[in-house]
Amino acid sequence: MCRKLALVLRTLSRNPRAMLTLYHCKNARSFRALWALEEMGLPYRLHTLPFPPRHRHEGMHEINPLGTIPVLIDGDVRMTESVAIPHYLATKYGPTDLAVAPHEEGYAAYLNFLVMGEATLTFPQTIHLRYQVFARPGERRPEIARDYAEWFGSRLRNAEGMMGEEFVAAGRFTMADISVGYAIMLALSVGLEEFVPSSLRDRWSSLSARESWRRAIAAQESSA
């Protein structure tokens, strides 16, 4: 039996309610949580919802009062933040090298990139999408959308100088790579390719070649 499967079975034996449930929208922020589940090989139930779920899925506010995804249900635990969930999974259902421990040299960089992927790199893209794509035609503001697209590009270029050569922190693939990788994935899928340097496109090619990413893509397609 492989080590990863043995760890999962041991965790489930300690907590028979440990079957996880993820509420997800295709290629949305919740993809970070889905990717993390696949990377760890954890058993889970996936509910892929129409976007935006707060308007198109009946009872969404009962699942999450914010009306947003992701939502991870783990027994009595409910989590709603896309960069917190991967870290939670790694630290609760480990041990795993996907998290960086406080005693390790790359701990601070790991936490920094884990949060940066959302707060610095995904957030401006969501404002761009709000004013360029999701708003009604008469309410779109292309000048605002462009400003936030350029803001994203500037932050991404500056962040690249802080990243490790192959992985963003600790010299290995971690949940921080999932966090930052998703921000690059989003940019490449919503028409912001011009703001992603070729070096980061190469990095993304490596990340998206991981079997866990491919399984996550397949899972959301089969669940849609």
Side-chain angles (χ1 to χ4, degrees), residues 11-143:
T11 298
L12 290 172
S13 68
R14 292 196 301 264
N15 179 9
R17 297 185 306 163
M19 172 64 79
L20 301 154
T21 299
L22 177 66
Y23 291 87
H24 166 63
C25 290
K26 184 177 178 180
N27 290 342
R29 288 175 168 108
S30 50
F31 190 84
R32 289 185 175 111
L34 179 57
W35 188 356
L37 286 165
E38 288 291 348
E39 185 70 37
M40 291 192 68
L42 294 171
Y44 65 91
R45 301 183 184 94
L46 181 65
H47 298 282
T48 300
L49 310 181
F51 187 87
R54 63 185 174 275
H55 297 310
R56 299 181 62 194
H57 184 74
E58 185 177 356
M60 185 64 207
H61 286 278
E62 296 177 6
I63 299 169
N64 176 13
L66 297 173
T68 60
I69 49 87
V71 182
L72 180 81
I73 306 295
D74 182 11
D76 296 329
V77 170
R78 176 174 57 189
M79 298 190 70
T80 63
E81 293 298 323
S82 69
V83 296
I85 290 170
H87 181 71
Y88 169 83
L89 295 172
T91 52
K92 180 172 182 179
Y93 290 104
T96 172
D97 285 342
L98 292 167
V100 181
H103 68 272
E104 294 185 77
E105 185 176 348
Y107 176 64
Y110 165 77
L111 288 181
N112 202 49
F113 279 111
L114 189 70
V115 176
M116 184 189 297
E118 174 63 21
T120 300
L121 300 179
T122 300
F123 169 73
Q125 295 189 70
T126 65
I127 303 300
H128 166 81
L129 291 170
R130 162 69 177 83
Y131 286 104
Q132 184 69 28
V133 177
F134 298 136
R136 298 185 184 94
E139 298 174 353
R140 292 178 182 173
R141 298 292 182 268
E143 70 284 359

Side-chain angles (χ1 to χ4, degrees), residues 178-195:
I178 287 179
S179 180
V180 172
Y182 172 75
I184 298 172
M185 171 183 167
L186 180 63
L188 295 174
S189 67
V190 299
L192 298 179
E193 298 94 336
E194 66 180 286
F195 299 105

